[in-house]
Amino acid sequence: MRISVTGLVCAMLTCVLIAGCGDGASSQGEATDDSHLKFVADSYALFLKEHRRLPNDDAEFREFATKRAADDPKAKGQTVDQLLTSERDGKPFGLFTLEDSLPDGFFQAAYEQVGVDGRRLVADSAGNIQEVDEATFREMVPISP
């Protein structure tokens, strides 16, 4: 599966528009700047920029994140397993790769598997993070388990 640059740009613009709308979503700002999901989201965006495609699989992303963590002062002292795990629900983040059957224009990168109090954090491929309720999550991530 190939993602066109135009499609990715359109998806990112759509993300900005969705993030600006209410309906069960709230934007996460400084509270997540040092979070593990922010590291994952930024790593995903950097991977897309450098490779112009999604990671082939979790292993390829893990390798990329490991190299990035070595140079990221916010990641110092943490293992890649810690960085790829939600501090809120203690579970590894769900991550989208080329192995997934993604709909055209899909722009989500990673998400919390469980979340907290019926709300999950979702990161898009541009590095933005939103906290959403379950109904909004199912709209944003229709292929999640």
Side-chain angles (χ1 to χ4, degrees):
M1 177 179 94
R2 299 187 72 174
I3 294 180
S4 70
V5 174
T6 304
L8 187 58
V9 170
C10 289
M12 287 182 193
L13 290 174
T14 302
C15 177
V16 170
L17 293 174
I18 289 173
C21 301
D23 301 337
S26 63
S27 177
Q28 295 291 301
E30 291 180 30
T32 59
D33 284 348
D34 292 329
S35 76
H36 294 169
L37 186 56
K38 183 63 176 162
F39 172 82
V40 171
D42 289 347
S43 296
Y44 198 93
L46 187 59
F47 186 97
L48 287 173
K49 181 179 177 184
E50 290 182 10
H51 296 87
R52 302 214 183 275
R53 63 170 174 79
L54 298 176
N56 287 321
D57 52 30
D58 288 347
E60 183 180 35
F61 183 77
R62 176 180 287 278
E63 180 181 331
F64 183 83
T66 300
K67 290 176 185 172
R68 184 170 179 268
D71 297 329
D72 188 336
K74 293 179 184 177
K76 295 290 184 209
Q78 298 184 71
T79 67
V80 75
D81 286 332
Q82 289 171 317
L83 292 168
L84 298 179
T85 300
S86 170
E87 302 101 311
R88 295 175 7 133
D89 67 19
K91 301 216 178 281
F93 292 112
L95 178 72
F96 294 102
T97 66
L98 285 174
E99 289 182 332
D100 300 306
S101 296
L102 301 172
D104 287 340
F106 190 82
F107 56 90
Q108 304 312 327
Y111 60 90
E112 286 183 312
Q113 289 190 46
V114 176
V116 175
D117 296 328
R119 298 185 69 81
R120 299 193 211 194
L121 294 178
V122 179
D124 67 31
S125 56
N128 303 306
I129 298 173
Q130 293 182 71
E131 182 179 48
V132 299
D133 61 23
E134 191 63 24
T136 304
F137 175 78
R138 292 288 167 203
E139 290 174 15
M140 293 175 71
V141 187
I143 63 172
S144 67

